[in-house]
Amino acid sequence: MTKQMGTRPIIVEAQNVHKSFGDLEILKGVNLEIQEKEVVVICGPSGSGKSTFIRCINGLEKIDAGSITVGGLAIHDPQTKTTEISKKIGMVFQDFNLFPHMTVLDNITLAPRKVKKMPKEEAEELALTLLEQVGIRDQAHKYPRATSGGQKQRVAIARALAMQPDLMLFDEPTSALDPEMIAEVLDVMKNLAQEGMTMVVVTHEMAFAREVADTVIFFDDGNIVEKAPPEKLFTAPEQDRTKKFLAQIF
């Protein structure tokens, strides 16, 4: 799938982002711009900072220096409210993070009702539409424990979409799934990309990156080592560190 990038509005702008945990510096001055409708895949070795970076994008981790804006909202500003961030950014985690005591439908409708003050009937109609979109409308009244791993992750995607965000973040969304369930989640993500959702995906699924991404970023030691369209990065990487990493995968 190829999309024409052209000149589109910048949705995400990260400038000189630094983040440390104690004495350990995780992010060492990351700079990145992401355009509207762009699909960015971030790959790299464990511990390179890629998951920390996307957690910083949606404010789950507070940065130590630099700035991050999403759709004009200053994520790094201490005055920015979590509710404002949640209206602009949806995030899908590797371990689902569903509320076990709530049905699938209630998991999805909770944020629109509480944060956006959406009427219950409207929220449920939206939730059912999204469950149809991700292929599991029949699971609406089940509890998470009664669904498979792949179904749980699709519920998590529908829950994030229910806030109608400008940006979707995925943190290794298939890493906790059995191999046969990975494809059903990736198919949902491919459809989102085709529909024009702006996405940042941390993943080791290189076939997905090659097919869907507009841009692939190789992340290592707290920074962006290389950034290119997938065909260029996978077939003709410029940096030795990128070459070494890809040689272990392909």
Side-chain angles (χ1 to χ4, degrees):
M1 180 181 64
T2 302
K3 296 194 297 241
Q4 296 298 317
M5 291 298 292
T7 302
R8 295 177 181 161
I10 299 297
I11 293 293
V12 180
E13 185 173 12
Q15 294 185 329
N16 197 31
V17 173
H18 289 260
K19 174 67 181 178
S20 296
F21 294 107
D23 294 332
L24 184 61
E25 189 177 17
I26 304 297
L27 302 177
K28 303 178 180 179
V30 179
N31 293 284
L32 181 64
E33 290 185 349
I34 299 172
Q35 294 183 17
E36 184 181 55
K37 299 184 179 181
E38 186 175 2
V39 178
V40 175
V41 168
I42 302 177
C43 62
S46 297
S48 60
K50 54 192 187 296
S51 290
T52 298
F53 178 55
I54 68 165
R55 288 174 64 86
C56 289
I57 291 176
N58 80 337
L60 285 176
E61 300 288 355
K62 300 301 180 185
I63 64 176
D64 299 322
S67 65
I68 300 175
T69 58
V70 176
L73 184 68
I75 307 300
H76 60 282
D77 188 337
Q79 301 303 313
T80 299
K81 296 179 179 179
T82 302
T83 52
E84 293 304 307
I85 296 174
S86 69
K87 290 175 183 178
K88 283 190 172 290
I89 306 171
M91 186 158 181
V92 178
F93 304 86
Q94 56 183 297
D95 54 359
F96 321 130
N97 286 2
L98 301 176
F99 292 111
H101 63 288
M102 299 173 66
T103 66
V104 164
L105 190 66
D106 288 341
N107 264 280
I108 297 171
T109 59
L110 180 64
R113 293 180 63 192
K114 296 294 185 182
V115 178
K116 286 192 164 185
K117 308 302 181 185
M118 189 179 290
K120 180 180 179 181
E121 288 187 5
E122 183 181 343
E124 289 185 347
E125 183 179 348
L126 173 62
L128 290 170
T129 299
L130 291 170
L131 285 171
E132 182 76 34
Q133 183 178 336
V134 300
I136 51 170
R137 185 185 173 108
D138 59 334
Q139 306 296 308
H141 300 291
K142 292 184 179 180
Y143 288 88
R145 64 178 177 273
T147 62
S148 70
Q151 289 169 337
K152 287 184 180 72
Q153 197 58 294
R154 286 186 279 168
V155 173
I157 293 172
R159 179 182 59 182
L161 291 172
M163 290 296 286
Q164 299 169 313
D166 297 329
L167 171 70
M168 284 284 286
L169 306 175
F170 296 84
D171 187 8
E172 300 193 27
T174 60
S175 64
L177 301 179
D178 293 333
E180 64 268 22
M181 296 178 181
I182 290 174
E184 62 191 43
V185 172
L186 291 180
D187 283 345
V188 170
M189 294 169 64
K190 290 175 187 177
N191 288 337
L192 286 177
Q194 289 172 336
E195 291 165 6
M197 174 61 71
T198 309
M199 297 164 57
V200 182
V201 185
V202 172
T203 186
H204 297 292
E205 300 290 340
M206 294 298 100
F208 170 84
R210 191 185 290 270
E211 179 181 352
V212 178
D214 299 298
T215 304
V216 178
I217 290 172
F218 174 59
F219 219 93
D220 189 38
D221 194 29
N223 221 323
I224 294 172
V225 174
E226 192 160 352
K227 173 188 172 190
E231 282 307 310
K232 183 178 186 307
L233 190 130
F234 290 141
T235 60
E238 295 181 357
Q239 302 300 317
D240 290 341
R241 183 66 186 92
T242 313
K243 294 174 184 176
K244 182 178 179 181
F245 176 77
L246 293 175
Q248 296 173 336
I249 296 177
F250 296 115

